[in-house]
């Protein structure tokens, strides 16, 4: 397993403790318009100078809307469960000196630490496309980290708004547990999948579950917003592991622990792999011109020396304009090396280090998008079913969110070395 140098990850003692990072799937290292403020493709969670966590304290059962407003205006965090027009249960939360809370959602209001927008799959310039109606909740979820080792991170559905409230209306799924405490689900739900075997070369996909407002684990509802909750899964928890996936119905986030990131290839390592492959001077077997992967900051512009590949067979070429099978299937081309017919696309290096399960050389490409990464990383993501819409699942490229296709969802690339 690749282990980067100590200097790259370990700063002097005065650096704050890092709990981990959230990385949004579908962005190859940065947002299309660049990372700005709380809107970015990855978000690091550090120990706060002062704890801001909260824990449940007093429960009130209220029969008038005015009384419930009065309680939720006390400046304390609270969760309101509206059971009917004349009954609301309000659970007050009190300060917890032992935890830090981080909130994720679509809202740009100040309680949200990490602003997440809908990921539009497959387009390198996906700022062009407008989302008409976002399915991501404005206050989607909160992650609560223990301030003392081992710095356990837990996920809960829903986040507190600017008035420090979480409000579950009459239509939201909610219930009273046998021990008497209230719980509920958000409209489109917060789904979590913990991989089997952590985030390593041996990892296998886990099972998607839904997380409740109080952090319990349930089987999935029939559709994302169904009224009926799934079954309680008693032997599973809301503790995030290295490689856990969090789906907010419109965007999927990968959780990487600080320790997991320590054993992950860095940006420098990926750049070294790019230079190594270019130094080998791969050639187009037909045009005999030398090919080169563009630099990481030029990752959206097709360049003259860019490698292209036939994704059905994996033969790597320079760009050429022949081999079209028909006008109808513009991207179905015949490989001049082996006559296999299939998509012919430019290859792009996967630059987001957080998605790599190992530090192997970039030998495999996802189909049909052409993003290139290590064999084990390609095979891992090829078998992960990611939520899509309200009840579908399909494998997708982590670098651009394009739905995968082809026999194995990825292909081994066949480069030709220089003839001299």
């Amino acid at each position: 397993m690749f282990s980067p140098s100590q200097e790259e990850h370990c700063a002097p003692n005065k650096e704050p403790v890092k709990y981990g990072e959230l990385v949004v799937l579908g962005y190859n290292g940065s947002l299309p318009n660049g990372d700005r403020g709380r809107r970015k493709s990855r978000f690091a969670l550090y120990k706060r100078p002062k704890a801001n966590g909260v824990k449940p304290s007093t429960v009130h059962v209220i029969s008038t809307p005015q009384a419930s407003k009065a309680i939720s205006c006390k400046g304390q965090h609270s969760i309101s469960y509206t059971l009917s027009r004349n009954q609301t249960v309000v659970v007050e939360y009190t300060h917890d000196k032992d935890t830090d809370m981080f909130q994720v959602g679509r809202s740009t209001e100040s309680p949200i630490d990490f602003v997440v927008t809908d990921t539009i799959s497959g387009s390198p310039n996906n700022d062009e496309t407008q989302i008409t109606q976002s399915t991501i909740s404005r206050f989607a979820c909160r992650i609560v980290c223990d301030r003392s080792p081992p710095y356990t991170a837990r996920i809960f559905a829903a986040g507190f708004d600017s008035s420090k409230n979480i409000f579950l209306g009459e239509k939201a799924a909610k219930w009273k547990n046998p021990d008497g405490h209230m719980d509920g689900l958000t409209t489109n739900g917060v789904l979590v999948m913990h991989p089997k075997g952590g985030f390593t070369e041996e990892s296998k996909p886990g099972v998607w579950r839904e997380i409740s407002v109080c952090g319990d684990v349930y089987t999935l509802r029939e559709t994302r917003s169904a009224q009926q909750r799934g079954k309680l899964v008693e032997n599973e928890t809301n503790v995030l592991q290295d490689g856990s996936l969090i789906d907010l119905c419109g965007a999927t986030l990968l959780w990487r622990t600080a320790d997991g990131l320590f054993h992950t290839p860095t940006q420098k390592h990926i750049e070294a792999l790019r230079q190594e492959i270019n130094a080998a001077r791969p050639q187009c077997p037909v045009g005999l011109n030398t090919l080169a992967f563009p630099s990481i900051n030029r990752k959206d512009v097709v360049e003259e020396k860019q490698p292209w590949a036939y994704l059905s067979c994996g033969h790597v070429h320079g760009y050429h304009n022949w081999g079209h099978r028909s006008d109808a299937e513009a991207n179905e081309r015949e490989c001049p090396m082996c006559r296999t017919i299939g998509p012919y696309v430019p290859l792009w290096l996967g630059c987001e280090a957080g998605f790599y399960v190992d530090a192997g050389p970039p030998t495999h490409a996802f189909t049909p998008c052409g993003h290139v990464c290590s064999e084990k990383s390609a095979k891992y993501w090829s078998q992960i079913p990611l939520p899509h819409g309200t009840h579908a699942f399909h494998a997708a490229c982590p670098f651009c969110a394009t739905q995968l296709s082809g026999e194995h969802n990825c292909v081994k690339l066949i480069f030709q070395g220089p003839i001299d």
Side-chain angles (χ1 to χ4, degrees):
M1 190 69 174
F2 175 81
S3 187
S5 69
Q6 295 283 99
E7 297 83 66
E8 217 163 311
H9 279 303
C10 284
N13 293 337
K14 59 182 183 206
E15 280 287 308
V17 169
K18 187 182 201 174
Y19 296 129
E21 283 189 17
L22 289 167
V23 191
V24 189
L25 268 60
Y27 301 106
N28 194 10
S30 66
L31 297 184
N33 291 326
D35 291 348
R36 292 193 188 104
R38 291 172 296 151
R39 234 185 251 267
K40 44 196 165 188
S41 65
R42 56 159 53 198
F43 172 65
L45 285 70
Y46 289 98
K47 186 173 183 176
R48 296 189 186 274
K50 200 173 157 206
N52 75 331
V54 292
K55 57 189 175 187
S57 63
T58 322
V59 179
H60 306 267
V61 179
I62 290 156
S63 53
T64 67
Q66 289 77 12
S68 102
K69 264 204 182 107
I71 286 178
S72 53
C73 287
K74 275 169 55 178
Q76 232 174 327
H77 288 83
S78 68
I79 303 182
S80 303
Y81 300 87
T82 305
L83 303 180
S84 65
R85 281 190 192 163
N86 49 16
Q87 195 182 30
T88 300
V89 175
V90 179
V91 181
E92 284 190 299
Y93 276 63
T94 185
H95 176 67
D96 181 2
K97 65 176 181 10
D98 299 321
T99 62
D100 284 336
M101 180 170 70
F102 302 88
Q103 300 207 139
V104 181
R106 184 169 49 86
S107 171
T108 54
E109 289 179 32
S110 57
I112 294 295
D113 297 283
F114 187 29
V115 178
V116 177
T117 49
D118 295 70
T119 303
I120 301 148
S121 67
S123 156
N125 303 312
N126 40 17
D127 53 320
E128 304 289 311
T129 321
Q130 282 300 307
I131 289 271
T132 46
Q133 185 91 48
S134 176
T135 44
I136 300 173
S137 170
R138 293 175 63 244
F139 299 91
C141 70
R142 57 201 196 279
I143 291 169
V144 175
C145 301
D146 289 348
R147 285 173 65 85
S148 51
Y151 307 115
T152 305
R154 294 177 175 84
I155 184 164
F156 299 82
F160 294 99
D161 64 18
S162 297
S163 310
K164 300 186 179 175
N165 297 322
I166 291 172
F167 180 79
L168 294 179
E170 271 188 77
K171 290 186 179 168
K174 62 191 116 40
W175 59 91
K176 186 182 267 192
N177 281 311
D179 65 0
H181 84 260
M182 294 295 300
D183 203 351
L185 304 172
T186 53
T187 306
N188 289 326
V190 172
L191 308 189
V192 170
M193 188 203 80
H194 306 301
K196 291 175 188 158
F199 197 67
T200 65
E201 303 170 24
E202 274 69 56
S203 298
K204 292 279 179 285
V207 180
W208 283 98
R209 302 294 194 204
E210 180 159 11
I211 302 295
S212 73
V213 172
C214 294
D216 283 339
V217 180
Y218 287 85
T219 59
L220 301 190
R221 291 179 264 182
E222 277 192 22
T223 60
R224 286 297 283 250
S225 55
Q227 290 284 296
Q228 192 59 42
R229 70 178 190 266
K231 290 189 177 74
L232 179 68
V233 185
E234 297 193 34
N235 59 344
E236 293 181 24
T237 73
N238 64 338
V239 172
L240 294 173
Q241 306 163 12
D242 191 34
S244 290
L245 287 166
I246 302 163
D247 188 81
L248 304 177
C249 197
T252 307
L253 283 58
L254 172 71
W255 170 254
R256 297 302 314 269
T257 59
D259 186 57
L261 288 166
F262 186 81
H263 296 99
T264 293
T266 57
Q267 212 74 55
K268 279 185 187 171
H269 180 73
I270 291 172
E271 175 58 18
L273 290 173
R274 184 187 78 85
Q275 289 180 11
E276 203 175 304
I277 209 165
N278 289 350
R281 292 175 53 231
Q283 285 197 334
C284 173
V286 178
L288 302 182
N289 47 316
T290 302
L291 308 173
F293 278 100
S295 70
I296 283 172
N297 57 4
R298 299 274 299 160
K299 63 178 190 285
D300 292 333
V301 185
V302 179
E303 299 199 343
E304 202 184 335
K305 289 183 161 188
Q306 187 117 8
W308 286 61
Y310 288 89
L311 293 181
S312 292
C313 57
H315 280 113
V316 178
H317 290 256
Y319 178 72
H320 50 245
N321 204 14
W322 64 79
H324 288 283
R325 299 300 294 167
S326 70
D327 293 337
E329 290 292 334
N331 206 26
E332 289 290 296
R333 307 273 279 267
E334 183 179 273
C335 172
M337 300 296 286
C338 65
R339 316 304 294 252
T340 305
I341 294 161
Y344 173 64
V345 300
L347 297 177
W348 303 98
L349 198 59
C351 306
E352 176 47 74
F355 298 145
Y356 282 75
V357 298
D358 71 336
T363 55
H364 283 61
F366 288 108
T367 58
C369 61
H371 276 106
V372 179
C373 62
S374 68
E375 176 180 9
K376 285 185 169 155
S377 299
K379 289 188 170 167
Y380 176 71
W381 288 104
S382 294
Q383 54 184 345
I384 298 265
L386 293 169
H388 180 72
T390 57
H391 50 266
F393 289 82
H394 58 60
C397 168
F399 301 105
C400 68
T402 298
Q403 182 172 347
L404 299 182
S405 60
E407 199 181 338
H408 302 294
N409 290 339
C410 63
V411 63
K412 181 174 170 43
L413 297 171
I414 303 164
F415 286 94
Q416 176 167 303
I419 288 171
D420 53 22

